[in-house]
Amino acid sequence: MLYSDKVLEHFASPHNVGEIENADGVGEVGNAKCGDIMKMYLKIDGGVITDAKFKTFGCGAAIATSSMATDMIKGSTIEDALKLSNQAVVEALDGLPASKIHCSVLAEQAVKSALADYYRKNGVDPTPIVGDIGECDACH
Ligand code: FES
């Protein structure tokens, strides 16, 4: 089987799909490899991510990884969310085929991009905190 049961579950019934009105941070990233686009919305209260939602024009693996990534960052601190790697998301999904690993990068970048937006909205330069989000040919 190409995909794990967990990937299929998250693809069939993704968690946290949608938008957050008056989100504290909104990120949009594109995957240079395939042209897919992901938008991430975060609600942040006292340094903790209280809600996360996403929308994507992306493939099934992008949907499954974003579903899992939003589950993982909900309730976590900004610091912990910034440490979330695409590998951790892939592991939580019991793996992805090698050709689909790039899709998981989209989820990690979308979280970082939304956090960078949060810092910018609060008058803080996100570059030293968030670091390099990565190339985004589709949205810049
Ligand atoms: Fe584009 Fe998966 S093929 S994100």
Side-chain angles (χ1 to χ4, degrees):
M1 186 65 188
L2 198 57
Y3 290 110
S4 73
D5 288 343
K6 272 198 192 153
V7 172
L8 294 175
E9 263 169 50
H10 278 265
F11 173 55
S13 317
H15 308 169
N16 313 311
V17 172
E19 290 179 30
I20 298 176
E21 251 183 77
N22 302 318
D24 297 302
V26 180
E28 185 172 336
V29 292
N31 197 320
K33 229 173 163 146
C34 62
D36 289 348
I37 290 178
M38 162 109 33
K39 215 161 171 180
M40 178 81 59
Y41 303 81
L42 300 178
K43 202 82 196 150
I44 298 168
D45 191 9
V48 173
I49 296 172
T50 54
D51 201 9
K53 289 205 189 298
F54 75 94
K55 278 169 94 177
T56 185
F57 295 102
C59 70
I63 292 169
T65 48
S66 308
S67 169
M68 180 56 92
T70 45
D71 271 357
M72 289 167 88
I73 60 168
K74 273 207 298 195
S76 84
T77 60
I78 293 177
E79 287 75 22
D80 285 345
L82 283 171
K83 282 188 221 132
L84 181 78
S85 67
N86 74 301
Q87 290 96 320
V89 177
V90 170
E91 270 166 35
L93 285 167
D94 295 335
L96 272 180
S99 65
K100 288 283 168 185
I101 294 292
H102 77 270
C103 315
S104 66
V105 176
L106 202 59
E108 180 194 316
Q109 287 177 330
V111 172
K112 291 195 168 138
S113 165
L115 288 171
D117 181 54
Y118 166 74
Y119 280 117
R120 254 181 252 116
K121 281 192 171 115
N122 285 281
V124 178
D125 176 11
T127 319
I129 306 162
V130 179
D132 185 13
I133 294 170
E135 287 302 307
C136 176
D137 286 355
C139 58
H140 289 302

